[in-house]
Amino acid sequence: MSKKIRTWMISALAGVALFYVQAAAAQQEPDWSKVQIKTTKVSGNIYMLEGQGGNIAASVGEDGIVIVDDQFAPLAEKIQAALKDLKITDKPVRFVINTHYHGDHTGGNVPFNNAGSTLIAQDNVRKRLESGGTAGNGGSIKMDVKPAEKAALPIITFGHDVTVHLNGEDIRALHFPSGHTDGDSIIFFPKNNVVHMGDDFLRIGFPFVDLDSGGNVLGWIGALEEVIARLPPDVKVIPGHGPVSNLDDVREFIKMMKDTRGAVARGVQQGKSLDQLKREKVLEPWSNWSGEWITSDLYLETLYNDLFRGAETFAHRP
Ligand SMILES: [Zn+2]
């Protein structure tokens, strides 16, 4: 398995260790002192920062800095230092926009808030951070999420969308109601022709659909289709995890999600059980997407549960 995927998995586990009570005892935190922040210029004044956890996008310019997502609290100082090292501005990180509530994207909220940044996120991100709850796929992935402390909660929340007018750009966060979670935002940098897709687009194999936090496979596919239809063909795409990508990469991801969902739905229509689908290796044609965390079997279980959860919701709809 590639080093990238392994590194991502460690960061995913670090999220578990920091935020999920159940797993805390079992997982070891990484050695934060060894984590280095790698900065990549994406386009114009937009940069991508990688350390551990979700990719960070940064708009760095004369008005100051806006970042999208903030990885983990122990990395906040290094992230600040990496932004300073660009030598573009001495002004602070004025805003942090969270793409969704997962700990590997919001873990730095407290130190950034304490340093004076204003946290912005969709309503459901604040709700889930505040209440805690369960993240999972309705099956063998089940993680208890502790309520976050007050300083981690976004100060400004929005329902559908919000725009931050800074560095000569209308940086827009747009909510998609049901994909990876129920609080996903995709962030557009229209002047620089860059988009940060949060965990709605990943380059690390099969995705984690957080069904227990309002995630949904069809909602996810619909969100991505809507987004790519309105983006210029040469837009640069920052994924939640993995390298800077393009729209063809996103299309490939959508196709995989559609085809795998279709394959599982056909099996379910034929009355097959989850065990039967596993035995028949129904996802074998997509085995190159199997990751260290979300393996083919875990993804199959997720798709299976998603189909039944969808049906349940439908049956109970008034
Ligand atoms: Zn996530």
Side-chain angles (χ1 to χ4, degrees):
M1 202 52 60
S2 82
K3 207 178 152 212
K4 263 221 155 71
I5 291 177
R6 193 158 305 186
T7 308
W8 177 80
M9 191 189 135
I10 292 165
S11 53
L13 291 178
V16 169
L18 282 173
F19 295 93
Y20 306 131
V21 185
Q22 265 188 346
Q27 311 297 349
Q28 251 193 326
E29 265 192 55
D31 183 350
W32 299 111
S33 69
K34 293 213 172 89
V35 178
Q36 289 182 349
I37 306 294
K38 184 186 154 204
T39 308
T40 309
K41 181 170 172 152
V42 181
S43 172
N45 66 308
I46 307 298
Y47 295 81
M48 179 169 102
L49 278 68
E50 297 166 273
Q52 286 224 2
N55 288 329
I56 295 173
S59 162
V60 187
E62 55 178 13
D63 300 331
I65 301 173
V66 184
I67 62 171
V68 176
D69 288 344
D70 53 23
Q71 299 193 349
F72 295 102
L75 300 176
E77 272 179 40
K78 288 187 187 187
I79 294 164
Q80 297 273 24
L83 292 166
K84 250 200 178 75
D85 280 351
L86 292 168
K87 300 198 186 329
I88 295 170
T89 179
D90 281 332
K91 292 187 176 153
V93 175
R94 293 176 61 182
F95 299 97
V96 176
I97 305 172
N98 294 141
T99 58
H100 63 295
Y101 88 101
H102 286 154
D104 53 332
H105 298 255
T106 58
N109 277 10
V110 172
F112 275 99
N113 186 12
N114 288 341
S117 309
T118 300
L119 309 176
I120 305 175
Q122 205 273 335
D123 298 333
N124 293 336
V125 174
R126 183 182 161 104
K127 275 187 205 152
R128 290 197 180 277
L129 283 172
E130 193 169 28
S131 66
T134 306
N137 72 343
S140 38
I141 303 173
K142 193 174 193 311
M143 300 170 283
D144 286 337
V145 183
K146 268 198 282 190
E149 61 185 285
K150 191 175 165 230
L153 303 179
I155 301 283
I156 296 177
T157 65
F158 59 92
H160 180 259
D161 67 287
V162 72
T163 307
V164 177
H165 305 271
L166 219 74
N167 296 332
E169 184 158 39
D170 304 326
I171 302 164
R172 183 152 178 257
L174 185 57
H175 176 231
F176 291 89
S178 191
H180 179 60
T181 69
D182 62 6
D184 303 350
S185 289
I186 290 180
I187 321 296
F188 300 84
F189 300 91
K191 194 186 77 178
N192 284 288
N193 200 16
V194 175
V195 61
H196 188 317
M197 292 198 173
D199 279 358
D200 281 338
F201 172 61
L202 311 151
R203 294 284 301 279
I204 44 135
F206 285 135
F208 167 45
V209 188
D210 191 348
L211 300 177
D212 292 334
S213 303
N216 176 273
V217 175
L218 276 188
W220 188 326
I221 293 167
L224 285 179
E225 286 188 326
E226 191 186 326
V227 166
I228 64 167
R230 61 168 80 180
L231 286 168
D234 58 346
V235 68
K236 292 201 165 69
V237 180
I238 300 178
H241 301 264
V244 176
S245 306
N246 59 41
L247 283 192
D248 282 342
D249 300 316
V250 182
R251 286 191 190 99
E252 195 189 345
F253 183 82
I254 296 172
K255 185 169 171 14
M256 177 279 292
M257 281 191 95
K258 275 184 165 175
D259 292 351
T260 51
R261 184 186 182 278
V264 175
R266 271 192 302 280
V268 167
Q269 272 156 14
Q270 291 158 11
K272 289 177 183 168
S273 69
L274 177 58
D275 277 345
Q276 221 170 331
L277 294 169
K278 276 186 191 170
R279 276 198 307 275
E280 290 177 8
K281 295 193 185 306
V282 68
L283 294 186
E284 185 63 26
W286 299 274
S287 58
N288 58 325
W289 290 83
S290 186
E292 280 194 35
W293 185 35
I294 306 297
T295 59
S296 289
D297 275 356
L298 278 181
Y299 184 58
L300 171 56
E301 184 192 63
T302 306
L303 291 171
Y304 184 87
N305 290 345
D306 174 77
L307 283 166
F308 279 97
R309 191 163 293 205
E312 230 168 73
T313 314
F314 187 71
H316 291 142
R317 207 169 280 173

